[in-house]
Amino acid sequence: LIGFVDSGLDLTHPEFLGEDGNSRVTALWDMTAQGTPPEGFRRGAFYSGEDIAAGRAPSGDRSGHGTAVAAVAAGRSGTAPGASIAMVKLAGAQTTDVMRAVKFLLDQAEAQGMPCVVNLSYGTNWGSHWGQTLFESYIDQSAQRGRSAIVCAAGNEGSGAHHFSGRVEENGVLDAEFTISTRREQVYLSLWKNFSDEVVFDLTLPSGQSTGPLTEGERRLRFNSVRVSVSYGMPSHYSVSQEVLFLLDGPPGSLDGLWRLRCQGGKIADGRLNIWLPTVEEVTDRTAFLQPSPDLTITLPATALYPISVGGFRPETGTASPFSGRGIQDCAGRTLLDLTAPAEGVRSAKAGGGYDAYTGTSLAAPFVSGSAALMMEWGVVRGNDPFLYNQRVKAFLCKGAQRSPLLTYPNAQWGYGRLNLCASMD
């Protein structure tokens, strides 16, 4: 079973039919609909394989993203054309919904007696990117369930200029300038630092107004129609780092202009600061830092330890896609990016019928999901290697990845290289 957490599925597309003409979709949970939710959950509508076969399930996928992703991994012309399919249609981009979806998909596979690959073509910048958030911790725990594997897209933030990295010295000053150009009514800055460091912040608006010194605690300030909320987080049972979250609210267009975040160092033990703006999908690349850092632009939950993290390359030239999220080693020395797959001009199923070309690491991840499913079929289902799942699948995919003699591996753009399933199986 390959499970997807995405925008939905065109159930009528021939890519998702088996050789007998029947649908290979065994479960659909539509979080956007009203109906009977899956057992153990409180909202949405659940449709079984029987419902889908009888035409009692809606086949909507307004954006077409989920249909294209699922067809690459499990379509009749895709990577694993014999796989069973399950889909969770998200109601929004809440990480809690993604966590619920992952649990549902793994439970479905267990109930159906099948090994499972979960494909997450989803990413957010809200988090430390060091594997320490509740979201990443949950995905890690889920990836350790028996007979399963989780594959995550690395995101499209490599060239988005949405990451700023710097070091503030004791009694020193570090400025992070960024522009906002969006019709969104809210933009956030997620800043992460060492909890031991004492840093005072001062945010200057495009109007020239300033929040003044911001220290530990929570502040809510208003500047005409613009509201600025600042919250200092605390270490938790799953994170030793500290988040300082800046929420900027206002009517459409009121946030546009040049902003400056001034960081004044007090007592400093480490001094490293990392700041992220929302993803390109949320605010486009017109909202950006003036002096960005392209590294550590891989999105959550691909930053977690146990999932397989997938970046993208251009098949025609064999070059890394400039937008593909980069995953330098984190503060614990973990390699964040595992390998890459085709991510530009990928031909796949189009919702409503036919085919189209798609671009993004969302299309790279399902190549790896389908490959993992084929490996687990050979190992687990056919009994050739009953423990071929989770980290064992990742290890063989990384070992078999195609590498250039001119580069050192693993690296920020390629991980361990390009997907090569044949070499991994050999």
Side-chain angles (χ1 to χ4, degrees):
L1 179 78
I2 305 181
F4 303 90
V5 183
D6 221 296
S7 63
L9 194 66
D10 180 358
L11 297 172
T12 65
H13 203 289
E15 282 289 323
F16 307 120
L17 302 178
E19 293 183 358
D20 56 3
N22 295 322
S23 175
R24 289 183 288 115
V25 182
T26 62
L28 170 65
W29 178 16
D30 187 348
M31 288 190 182
T32 69
Q34 297 292 326
T36 302
E39 184 178 355
F41 298 92
R42 296 184 178 180
R43 61 186 176 85
F46 168 70
Y47 302 95
S48 66
E50 291 76 13
D51 293 328
I52 294 167
R56 294 192 295 268
S59 59
D61 181 11
R62 182 174 297 180
S63 73
H65 188 275
T67 298
V69 169
V72 170
R76 295 183 69 175
S77 61
T79 310
S84 296
I85 300 166
M87 170 64 73
V88 178
K89 183 176 181 179
L90 286 182
Q94 298 294 324
T95 57
T96 50
D97 283 344
V98 177
M99 291 189 283
R100 293 184 182 101
V102 170
K103 180 181 183 342
F104 166 81
L105 292 170
L106 293 175
D107 287 348
Q108 282 293 309
E110 191 171 291
Q112 296 177 33
M114 289 186 284
C116 180
V117 179
V118 175
N119 184 95
L120 289 176
S121 290
Y122 165 89
T124 179
N125 270 343
W126 201 322
S128 69
H129 294 64
W130 296 323
Q132 296 180 348
T133 65
L134 179 62
F135 184 29
E136 293 161 302
S137 299
Y138 184 85
I139 297 299
D140 270 340
Q141 291 178 15
S142 300
Q144 295 177 67
R145 282 181 58 163
R147 307 203 320 163
S148 68
I150 296 180
V151 178
C152 299
N156 304 321
E157 294 293 300
S159 56
H162 288 166
H163 174 226
F164 175 89
S165 180
R167 187 182 293 269
V168 62
E169 303 290 342
E170 195 159 315
N171 299 319
V173 173
L174 177 67
D175 285 343
E177 294 183 312
F178 59 98
T179 59
I180 294 179
S181 180
T182 179
R183 300 298 295 175
R184 287 178 63 92
E185 297 179 2
Q186 185 180 87
V187 174
Y188 68 79
L189 271 81
S190 180
L191 182 148
W192 289 81
K193 69 180 189 68
N194 191 308
F195 181 65
S196 300
D197 292 338
E198 297 178 2
V199 184
V200 176
F201 300 101
D202 187 340
L203 186 63
T204 301
L205 285 68
S207 63
Q209 296 171 289
S210 170
T211 61
L214 300 168
T215 54
E216 294 279 350
E218 293 190 8
R219 297 281 296 278
R220 290 179 175 83
L221 305 169
R222 191 179 186 95
F223 303 90
N224 298 322
S225 62
V226 176
R227 297 179 300 274
V228 176
S229 301
V230 184
S231 176
Y232 279 74
M234 297 294 287
S236 67
H237 61 281
Y238 52 80
S239 174
V240 299
S241 301
Q242 182 179 32
E243 180 186 25
V244 183
L245 181 63
F246 299 84
L247 286 177
L248 316 176
D249 294 273
S254 64
L255 303 178
D256 290 3
L258 177 64
W259 296 68
R260 184 190 68 199
L261 179 63
R262 173 154 289 181
C263 313
Q264 174 75 48
K267 291 183 179 180
I268 300 296
D270 183 327
R272 288 177 295 176
L273 300 176
N274 283 279
I275 315 172
W276 285 273
L277 286 162
T279 62
V280 170
E281 287 81 5
E282 296 175 87
V283 296
T284 77
D285 56 4
R286 296 178 63 189
T287 294
F289 287 107
L290 269 60
Q291 293 182 302
S293 170
D295 290 327
L296 206 54
T297 49
I298 187 172
T299 54
L300 283 72
T303 49
L305 176 62
Y306 287 98
I308 305 169
S309 304
V310 185
F313 68 87
R314 180 178 297 172
E316 292 81 7
T317 61
T319 55
S321 299
F323 55 78
S324 180
R326 301 185 186 185
I328 60 170
Q329 289 185 337
D330 68 2
C331 54
R334 302 180 308 131
T335 299
L336 297 182
L337 186 67
D338 293 312
L339 70 164
T340 59
E344 299 186 46
V346 177
R347 184 177 180 272
S348 189
K350 181 180 179 182
Y355 297 85
D356 206 345
Y358 300 86
T359 291
T361 59
S362 292
L363 280 300
F367 281 104
V368 177
S369 295
S371 298
L374 291 175
M375 293 173 69
M376 291 166 67
E377 179 196 7
W378 176 85
V380 180
V381 178
R382 299 187 184 184
N384 293 299
D385 186 342
F387 298 101
L388 189 56
Y389 51 81
N390 288 336
Q391 297 298 279
R392 189 166 170 81
V393 170
K394 178 197 281 193
F396 279 108
L397 285 173
C398 290
K399 183 177 177 64
Q402 183 176 347
R403 291 183 274 274
S404 166
L406 305 177
L407 299 175
T408 57
Y409 296 89
N411 66 46
Q413 287 184 281
W414 291 98
Y416 284 88
R418 291 186 285 177
L419 172 67
N420 189 334
L421 178 60
C422 292
S424 293
M425 288 303 297
D426 286 342

